[in-house]
């Protein structure tokens, strides 16, 4: 299971003062140096955290992989076409939400999502769809040409009781195996942290990559980026 670090909330902190620090690009490069397999940023239409400048700098400076989270938006599709990230992950986007709330409803938005996938494919960009661990959503994703899915792990992360977590993990495992059988890559993310990753890593063989942001950034405030990333990598490896 590879680890990609989402640096959106470094930008949230920077923007809180309207200044240039802390810089999400510096954080991303340090995470990469510490062993992260890639970096994720969500360029929102309202630019509430990541800004265009961050994206262009990351494109120039990253040595690993850039995963651009984005909505099915004409403006952002055009930007993606210019920077050509290694992966574009399509997510639902609402102005009022604090963070992405739940997966994309592919079934109800087939035409829009399919059109976005086609336009990104025209620019040679692989596309992942952020969805719930739901067989019908997975089948719909395959039908419209998604290369990857990213399974929303928010429900798993929010459960408190161990038995609820294990039940949700089973649901994720079934979904991941189904997507793999259809030939898609399987990523996962949202709400994963230093505690719940110990259980989540049981899906090591089913999940290709996890995308983790908030927990690593929060820990890095106290112990530094290098240690925060390395500790997460060690937990994923079961050390
Ligand atoms: N994956 C997706 C699609 C997301 O929207 C987010 C949050 O930006 C994450 C992963 C990372 O979630 P977290 O910050 O809770 O680790």
């Amino acid at each position: 299971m590879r680890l990609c670090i989402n640096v959106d909330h470094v930008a949230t902190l920077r923007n809180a003062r309207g200044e240039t620090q802390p810089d999400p690009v510096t954080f991303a490069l340090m995470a990469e140096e510490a062993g992260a397999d890639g970096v994720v940023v969500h360029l929102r239409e309202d630019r509430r955290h990541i800004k265009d400048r961050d994206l262009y700098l990351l494109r120039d400076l990253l040595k690993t992989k850039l995963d651009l989270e984005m909505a099915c938006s004409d403006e952002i599709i055009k930007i993606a076409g210019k920077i050509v990230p290694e992966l574009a992950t399509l997510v639902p986007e609402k102005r009022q939400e604090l963070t992405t709330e739940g997966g994309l409803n592919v079934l109800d938005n087939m035409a829009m999502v399919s059109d976005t996938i086609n336009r990104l494919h025209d620019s040679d960009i692989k596309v992942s769809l952020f969805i719930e661990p739901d067989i019908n959503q997975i089948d719909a994703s395959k039908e419209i040409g998604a290369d990857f899915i990213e399974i929303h792990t928010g429900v798993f992360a929010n459960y408190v009781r161990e038995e609820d977590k294990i039940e949700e993990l089973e649901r994720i495992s079934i979904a991941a195996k189904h997507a793999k059988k259809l030939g898609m890559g399987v990523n996962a993310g949202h709400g994963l942290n230093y505690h719940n990753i110990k259980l989540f890593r049981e899906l090591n063989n089913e999940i290709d990559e996890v995308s983790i942001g908030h927990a690593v950034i929060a820990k890095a405030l106290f112990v530094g980026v290098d240690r925060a990333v390395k500790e997460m990598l060690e937990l994923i490896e079961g050390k």
Side-chain angles (χ1 to χ4, degrees):
M1 207 153 71
R2 297 185 299 268
L3 171 65
C4 286
I5 301 290
N6 179 315
V7 299
D8 290 351
H9 294 308
V10 182
T12 303
L13 195 55
R14 170 193 64 189
N15 299 355
R17 289 289 294 263
E19 298 190 14
T20 56
Q21 298 294 331
D23 179 24
V25 177
T26 307
F27 192 105
L29 296 176
M30 289 175 79
E32 201 177 47
E33 282 295 309
D37 298 290
V39 170
V40 189
V41 287
H42 184 175
L43 186 70
R44 285 180 169 264
E45 289 183 272
D46 63 8
R47 307 300 198 272
R48 74 162 79 145
H49 37 55
I50 293 297
K51 297 185 183 300
D52 301 53
R53 161 263 186 213
D54 304 326
L55 193 59
Y56 285 100
L57 279 174
L58 285 170
R59 175 67 299 175
D60 277 353
L61 297 172
L62 281 183
K63 298 184 207 77
T64 53
K65 164 190 169 180
L66 176 61
D67 176 357
L68 173 62
E69 265 185 48
M70 54 181 278
C72 297
S73 136
D74 183 57
E75 186 213 359
I76 310 290
I77 294 169
K78 286 183 181 142
I79 293 173
K82 282 189 206 147
I83 65 141
V84 192
E86 277 71 31
L87 187 68
T89 298
L90 303 183
V91 299
E93 202 174 286
K94 295 188 214 121
R95 289 289 152 94
Q96 302 308 323
E97 66 192 358
L98 287 177
T99 179
T100 311
E101 292 165 354
L104 197 62
N105 190 337
V106 183
L107 277 169
D108 282 0
N109 297 284
M110 292 287 268
M112 179 181 73
V113 182
S114 164
D115 177 62
T116 305
I117 292 177
N118 291 339
R119 289 177 64 189
L120 291 167
H121 279 170
D122 285 345
S123 299
D124 268 338
I125 301 168
K126 290 214 172 359
V127 183
S128 177
L129 304 182
F130 182 56
I131 56 173
E132 300 298 323
D134 177 290
I135 300 297
N136 295 325
Q137 295 288 351
I138 294 169
D139 288 342
S141 303
K142 176 68 186 174
E143 192 183 323
I144 56 175
D147 307 287
F148 287 79
I149 57 162
E150 179 179 329
I151 298 178
H152 179 230
T153 52
V155 173
F156 164 79
N158 285 337
Y159 276 137
V160 177
R161 294 183 336 153
E162 188 78 357
E163 52 268 44
D164 291 334
K165 281 185 185 291
I166 290 170
E167 204 173 297
E168 181 64 11
L169 207 61
E170 182 57 21
R171 212 159 79 88
I172 295 172
S173 169
I174 291 167
K177 284 185 184 132
H178 184 73
K180 279 267 160 84
K181 217 187 288 171
L182 295 177
M184 292 186 285
V186 182
N187 300 335
H190 214 281
L192 295 176
N193 60 38
Y194 292 86
H195 302 286
N196 60 30
I197 196 72
K198 292 174 195 156
L199 194 55
F200 195 78
R201 71 169 297 280
E202 286 179 14
L203 301 187
N204 209 2
N205 293 327
E206 282 118 295
I207 306 287
D208 298 312
E209 190 170 287
V210 284
S211 162
I212 307 182
H214 190 265
V216 173
I217 294 166
K219 183 147 193 145
L221 272 179
F222 299 106
V223 304
V225 181
D226 189 68
R227 197 166 133 196
V229 172
K230 284 189 172 135
E231 281 185 22
M232 186 56 84
L233 283 167
E234 283 170 11
L235 289 171
I236 289 173
E237 286 159 17
K239 287 184 188 159

